[in-house]
Amino acid sequence: MSKLSISQRAPDAIVEEDDGEQPARGPAVVVESDDDGEPKAGQLPARATLNDDGSVTLALVKPVTLTIRKGDSEKQETYAELTFRELTGADLRLVAQEKDEMKRTILTLARATGMTSIRMNVLFDRLAQRDVGGATAVIAYFQE
């Protein structure tokens, strides 16, 4: 059986393996494609840009302004675009724990944009339908 432990102090996850459980072995299967080995990439919306670091920036159809209150201070932030990164395994575990489908979608968007879920909840409610569709298309692009 394999165990996975993640230490907050160590930068890497540690996998401890023992001989108790061995993976089933069977014949190897090779899958060949007709497209010269080129993987088919997901389709990004026309207003999305693939950045050099692998992230994707989506220009919003309708910019959204949020008022952010922290203590006694208040500021306005306008979102004209969102930048997404590929989710990690930790992100996927966290998202999988959410049972409500809408909350799972919002949490996925929050994790992919590096935004807090509280802020994404408010932003999501103000996004145009086309922007929600564009954002979910970007998430689907990373899943290809």
Side-chain angles (χ1 to χ4, degrees), residues 22-70:
Q22 294 295 321
R25 302 209 186 264
V29 177
V30 176
V31 178
E32 293 183 357
S33 64
D34 296 329
D35 57 0
D36 300 324
E38 292 294 323
K40 293 182 180 179
Q43 296 293 317
L44 286 173
R47 32 194 183 95
T49 303
L50 181 59
N51 302 315
D52 290 339
D53 65 356
S55 64
V56 173
T57 300
L58 176 70
L60 299 180
V61 171
K62 182 180 170 193
V64 176
T65 301
L66 299 181
T67 300
I68 310 298
R69 286 189 190 131
K70 202 178 245 187

Side-chain angles (χ1 to χ4, degrees), residues 45-96:
R47 32 194 183 95
T49 303
L50 181 59
N51 302 315
D52 290 339
D53 65 356
S55 64
V56 173
T57 300
L58 176 70
L60 299 180
V61 171
K62 182 180 170 193
V64 176
T65 301
L66 299 181
T67 300
I68 310 298
R69 286 189 190 131
K70 202 178 245 187
D72 292 334
S73 68
E74 185 174 290
K75 65 179 178 176
Q76 299 225 331
E77 290 185 11
T78 299
Y79 294 88
E81 62 185 26
L82 295 174
T83 300
F84 297 82
R85 64 164 177 81
E86 187 171 7
L87 296 173
T88 65
D91 294 325
L92 296 173
R93 281 185 195 226
L94 187 64
V95 168

Side-chain angles (χ1 to χ4, degrees), residues 45 56 58 60 79 81-88 91-92 94-96 98 100-143:
V56 173
L58 176 70
L60 299 180
Y79 294 88
E81 62 185 26
L82 295 174
T83 300
F84 297 82
R85 64 164 177 81
E86 187 171 7
L87 296 173
T88 65
D91 294 325
L92 296 173
L94 187 64
V95 168
E98 182 56 61
D100 181 85
E101 185 177 345
M102 186 56 68
K103 289 180 182 177
R104 194 169 46 244
T105 298
I106 293 169
L107 184 57
T108 300
L109 295 175
R111 299 297 291 193
T113 59
M115 195 177 293
T116 65
S117 58
I118 293 170
R119 190 175 294 199
M120 180 54 76
N121 266 300
V122 177
L123 179 65
F124 184 88
D125 288 347
R126 287 153 181 79
L127 288 175
Q129 181 179 357
R130 290 177 290 163
D131 289 329
V132 171
T136 55
V138 172
I139 297 295
Y141 167 81
F142 285 121
Q143 294 173 338

